[in-house]
Amino acid sequence: MTALEQTLLSRGLVSHDQLAEATRTQELEGVTLGQALVTSGALREEDLIPVLAEAAGLRFIDLDDFPVDQRVAGAVPGAVCRRHLLLPVSREGDSVVVAMAEPGNIVAIDDLRSYLRAQVIPAVAERGALERSITRYIRSDSEIDSIGQSLDSSVREEERQGTVTIADVIQEDSPVVRWVHLLISQAIHDGCSDIHLEPEELDVRVRYRIDGVLHEMQSAPKSIQSQVISRIKIMADIDIAERRKPQDGRISVNVEGNDVDLRVATLPTVWGEKVVMRILNTAAVQVDLRKLSFSEVSFERYKESYSKPYGMILATGPTGSGKSTTLYATLREIARPEVNVITIEDPVEYRMSGINQIQVNPKAGLTFAAALRSILRADPDVVLVGEIRDGETAQIAVEAALTGHLVLSTLHTNDAPSAVTRLTEMGIEPFLVASALDCVVAQRLARRLCERCREPYAPSEVETEMMLADWIFREPPPPQLYRPVGCSTCAKTGFKGRMAVHEVMTVSKELEHLTALRKSTRELGELAREQGMITLRQDGWAKVAQGQTSIEELLRVVA
């Protein structure tokens, strides 16, 4: 009996009968015993790998739980790790433990010794876990740059010989395909929301928007610009021959076993087509509304509004302030089998089960107003309008809210009281706005301090005075605040992730009266604050006091 068979039986993973059946299959079909057991269903593949490692006298490492030493992992170039599917994970004395998909690969081990200048202890890891860990711990920047340089040389040679073909951007093993894949994978791993490819006179600049701030990552040779943009267009199903007008499309990619959607937009500039890829984070749709950093008072006011069967709720703020995430999280709270939810969006960024989503198509005559008019005949209970852009859409939405529907939408205003005057400026009668509007949520996204490296400090007199000018809470401001420092966890920025700062204005009888009288935004705001509305700045100061963000970051996003 082999060591593998003994291990399988001693662990109780298979029975004697299953082992005998797999042995017969092994002899008849010429496969390994492990393959025969997995094919027959007697053993799962993820259970087989640790057994094979034990039978071979090797260590098995579960990389999903193993504390990888990032300094050791970064000692080997990413290209080597990806080519051999391995990852250095820890140092033991003068040796380095390396997780490998094929621990018997002598060539890979020889390569490792030359880079690590140490003895290598091979260990076994599952292939999928290795791929995820390599993406997580090893940045692709150097590899992207290396591929870009080699691609530059090959493109120049092909252009000289006149042999550049469409196959260069279609074949899955071509350098340009690899370059684009690494660029997208690294952006997703970095938590990027947008990828910007910007042609310039001498090169192509690549920037990532991370936590709302653009960071320049690298530049690519000008010679590869055409192939890279053509590759992205093919992936997004965009006309590669059209370079004179803006186009948009959508890409679906699989990164680390997860399906990720990207919204692609091209824009002609003087140096070529600029490409922006918006990474649609479907995890945002799964966010619990209670985890969107609402203060307790603001959340209760908002909950009271969305729990009603009719009325209009507006989320306001600039582009990229998290309005869609808030509304989708609200829909998750509202959507039930007995409720008919219909949305009109441009574009449909996130697919949600249990609701009916409509994509606006102006070329076919399906505008926000036309779609809204049609769906009101489809017996909806809740309607989400992606954005109120014109008076016609606003008028129909207001009428829907007045006829027993709960209407959710977005509007571009600086604060909550401004939404009232914005609707009247669109031509909606003030008395209709007063009757239909139930709640306005204004919000901004501020970067969250990295908890690992944030530094406590005593605020200056000026900072304390600034806080006290807006302070409305029972507890006094704390004598200690926090500021960013920067570490490897937060990529030296001092911030990791974002949080929302909210201003929730519920429309009371008194506010309805002022609205109907066409009172100014300032007067509406004063009354709302008297009735308990916490402003964006006040909510931000509370989060600064809690150590969630810094004073500088709050002042960056809130005037």
Side-chain angles (χ1 to χ4, degrees), residues 57-101:
L58 295 170
R59 184 189 311 181
F60 171 76
I61 293 177
D62 184 355
L63 285 173
D64 290 329
D65 294 326
F66 191 87
V68 175
D69 187 332
Q70 294 190 24
R71 290 172 298 179
V72 175
V76 177
V80 174
C81 293
R82 292 183 176 89
R83 182 169 67 247
H84 297 304
L85 203 56
L86 54 83
L87 182 69
V89 293
S90 65
R91 185 175 289 276
E92 292 185 358
D94 295 330
S95 302
V96 174
V97 179
V98 181
M100 307 176 69

Side-chain angles (χ1 to χ4, degrees), residues 25 61 105 156 183 185 356 366 369:
T25 303
I61 293 177
N105 188 337
R156 290 178 185 275
L183 188 76
S185 299
N356 307 281
L366 187 64

